[in-house]
Amino acid sequence: MSNDHEVLTGLREALAFSPENLPLRRQLAHMLLGRGMVDEAAQLVREGLTLTAESEQLKLLLARCFERQGQTAEALVVVEDLAKRPDAEPGTHLLLARLLMKRGELDRAATAYRRAIAADPALADETLAEALGVTDANDADGDASDDDVDEFGRVLLRADEKEAPAGFEMEKPSTSFADVGGMEALKDEIRIKIIEPIRNVELYAAYGKAVGGGILMYGPPGCGKTYLARATAGEIDAGFIAVGIHDVLDMYLGQSEQRLHALFEYARQHTPCVLFFDEVDALGAKRTDMAGSAGRQVINQFLSELDGVKSSNDGVLVLGATNAPWHLDSAFRRPGRFDRILFVPPPDETARAETLRVLMKGKPQDAVDFEAVARKTPHLSGADLKAVVDVAVEAKLRDAMKSGRPTPVSTKDLLRGAKAVKPSTREWFATARNYALYSNESGLYDDILTYMKLK
């Protein structure tokens, strides 16, 4: 014990003399971790990452510290990112297997374990292998050679192994509804449709209500549809995959449908999972407006995946966002698909004040009256409010460069900025008004009429 103490003291002194010596820092952190001094080891690793943020070895050490501290979720965030690298260390996959097993994701854990052992048989752990049901630790990890399968075959293979299809990335948002100002009616709808079923699975099952489904959010651009979708995933600690039109559409015939299928398969294997389709009207445009068959096939595939024809969508939560719901094929609004249609208007006064507070965080300010600014900015979207803050900050920067003395942003500065920004929502409402008045047999756009006080 005395010798250990002397070695640690010597390493600490050497590191204090040469703090940029990363091998020395790693060695000391390893020793501290091995002796249960986890907090000190974690601090050393964090300091090292400020010197070289891309060190895989330091990140792996930090994940091990998180694991020892019982912070499984934090460790997973680090390790899953490292495991995506083609040159990831075998130890990374082994740690990933342990963390996934703690989360109860045994299939993914087994895949990670097989990869670790295939790369370094010395890492074999009989206890872990038995817990994961891996009978032969030296089995191949299931990868087929590039010569055996075509590109789509490789995409589906990755989906079967519970890896994200190429071009997609799952994240775990830290944002929740507490970070969303206003929008209470929208949040209540999402709670009933998505959040409560996840939290009360047995209660909903008793009423024959499946966990999952789709919500379509529509409204003027810049009003927080994407932010709300991300907060929904964060509220239930679900995986979140943002899908854009460029992520799905492919120039080669049939590839778009295949990518869409692989995406849904991946989501089904990682429930609860929120799939967020931005500009969903681009993927689900009216088939009557299409001359060719390629676009129709993509839409048919999309509808089939939403229905869960061949696989259950239980636990897959689909959120779509569009600025032009009138361009979306009516088949998407059938019950069981996007069966809740939510209008996302520009933020109300309370939401505007909260948005301004968030946008001004970290900026020098002098007792800003956000409520006063919110009252003077009706019809402005969240993106417009960001422009207000930008205009005010740029004006202060110009003044500072002239006087050589920076001054904080005041309420008057934000009000001046508000005068320079025109609501970007007006053009959208001009178009939406016509659809709401003259193409609204189903009552889909009644919320627009109510908001515009035309009903």
Side-chain angles (χ1 to χ4, degrees):
M1 185 65 71
S2 177
N3 186 48
D4 274 358
H5 177 73
E6 290 176 3
V7 171
L8 287 174
T9 300
L11 288 174
R12 289 190 183 105
E13 290 174 352
L15 188 61
F17 181 76
S18 180
E20 296 184 1
N21 188 328
L22 294 179
L24 179 61
R25 183 178 294 275
R26 288 198 305 270
Q27 178 64 25
L28 177 56
H30 270 299
M31 289 191 67
L32 291 169
L33 194 58
R35 287 154 182 76
M37 304 165 76
V38 183
D39 291 341
E40 186 181 350
Q43 182 60 32
L44 275 176
V45 173
R46 287 194 183 94
E47 291 170 356
L49 286 170
T50 63
L51 301 174
T52 172
E54 295 306 314
S55 171
E56 181 178 356
Q57 293 173 316
L58 284 179
K59 287 182 178 179
L60 185 57
L61 263 176
L62 181 61
R64 285 174 175 155
C65 291
F66 282 145
E67 181 195 24
R68 292 284 294 276
Q69 292 169 327
Q71 297 174 280
T72 303
E74 289 83 350
L76 263 174
V77 169
V78 177
V79 176
E80 286 185 321
D81 182 61
L82 291 175
K84 292 176 184 175
R85 302 182 181 184
D87 59 344
E89 293 185 2
T92 298
H93 294 296
L94 184 65
L95 180 56
L96 178 60
R98 289 189 178 124
L99 293 169
L100 290 171
M101 186 181 72
K102 289 181 180 179
R103 286 279 292 264
E105 299 184 45
L106 300 185
D107 288 343
R108 289 183 67 201
T111 298
Y113 179 74
R114 289 190 181 97
R115 284 188 180 158
I117 304 311
D120 184 358
L123 293 176
D125 183 329
E126 291 183 8
T127 304
L128 181 60
E130 184 177 351
L132 295 174
V134 178
T135 56
D136 184 357
N138 294 307
D139 280 348
D141 63 3
D143 284 337
S145 69
D146 288 349
D147 295 333
D148 293 333
V149 291
D150 60 11
E151 175 57 27
F152 179 54
R154 289 193 292 275
V155 170
L156 290 183
L157 181 62
R158 285 192 292 269
D160 289 340
E161 291 180 344
K162 302 186 180 349
E163 290 184 18
F168 299 105
E169 183 176 349
M170 180 181 284
E171 58 178 295
K172 285 290 186 76
S174 57
T175 307
S176 69
F177 280 180
D179 303 305
V180 180
M183 297 188 179
E184 294 306 323
L186 291 171
K187 288 189 281 190
D188 284 343
E189 286 281 355
I190 293 173
R191 283 191 184 99
I192 290 297
K193 177 68 178 176
I194 288 180
I195 294 172
E196 294 306 328
I198 293 291
R199 291 176 175 169
N200 301 282
V201 177
E202 293 181 358
L203 177 61
Y204 274 69
Y207 283 90
K209 192 74 172 171
V211 177
I215 288 179
L216 177 66
M217 298 180 288
Y218 76 95
C223 289
K225 294 184 285 293
T226 302
Y227 191 71
L228 188 59
R230 200 177 296 274
T232 299
E235 190 75 9
I236 54 176
D237 193 31
F240 179 81
I241 304 177
V243 187
I245 182 173
H246 62 281
D247 296 317
V248 174
L249 296 187
D250 192 284
M251 65 183 291
Y252 295 106
L253 194 64
Q255 290 298 309
S256 300
E257 299 93 299
Q258 293 165 351
R259 287 180 62 78
L260 202 54
H261 175 68
L263 171 65
F264 270 87
E265 281 298 299
Y266 179 66
R268 290 169 186 133
Q269 294 164 348
H270 292 80
T271 57
C273 179
V274 173
L275 281 178
F276 175 61
F277 290 87
D278 198 8
E279 298 179 353
V280 69
D281 53 293
L283 287 174
K286 291 181 179 178
R287 285 168 287 185
T288 53
D289 296 339
M290 295 181 178
S293 62
R296 291 169 179 258
Q297 291 304 319
V298 173
I299 294 172
N300 291 338
Q301 182 70 39
F302 199 173
L303 293 171
S304 174
E305 298 297 342
L306 287 172
D307 288 338
V309 173
K310 295 183 179 179
S311 303
S312 171
N313 283 338
D314 196 28
V316 178
L317 318 165
V318 185
L319 296 179
T322 176
N323 301 327
W326 36 85
H327 292 158
L328 191 69
D329 195 289
S330 60
F332 283 94
R333 299 196 293 271
R334 199 204 73 183
R337 294 167 182 170
F338 289 120
D339 47 10
R340 291 287 177 91
I341 316 294
L342 304 181
F343 174 51
V344 183
D348 57 21
E349 188 174 309
T350 301
R352 291 196 299 274
E354 187 59 33
T355 300
L356 287 166
R357 282 192 181 89
V358 172
L359 292 170
M360 283 296 293
K361 273 185 182 178
K363 296 178 175 62
Q365 52 188 285
D366 181 20
V368 175
D369 186 346
F370 293 107
E371 282 70 22
V373 180
R375 285 193 294 273
K376 296 291 186 179
T377 52
H379 311 304
L380 263 62
S381 68
D384 294 334
L385 292 172
K386 184 178 186 305
V388 169
V389 173
D390 288 343
V391 169
V393 169
E394 287 167 7
K396 302 303 287 186
L397 287 171
R398 281 194 294 271
D399 292 344
M401 285 186 282
K402 289 178 182 177
S403 66
R405 183 173 60 87
T407 55
V409 177
S410 66
T411 304
K412 289 183 178 179
D413 295 320
L414 286 176
L415 289 173
R416 278 195 291 267
K419 290 180 180 179
V421 176
K422 304 302 179 186
S424 63
T425 59
R426 286 177 179 166
E427 185 177 346
W428 186 89
F429 275 107
T431 301
R433 179 181 182 276
N434 293 330
Y435 281 97
L437 286 173
Y438 308 118
S439 184
N440 191 30
E441 292 82 2
S442 65
L444 176 63
Y445 308 127
D446 284 353
D447 287 336
I448 296 176
L449 295 175
T450 302
Y451 182 83
M452 298 183 75
K453 298 180 180 177
L454 297 174
K455 183 180 179 181

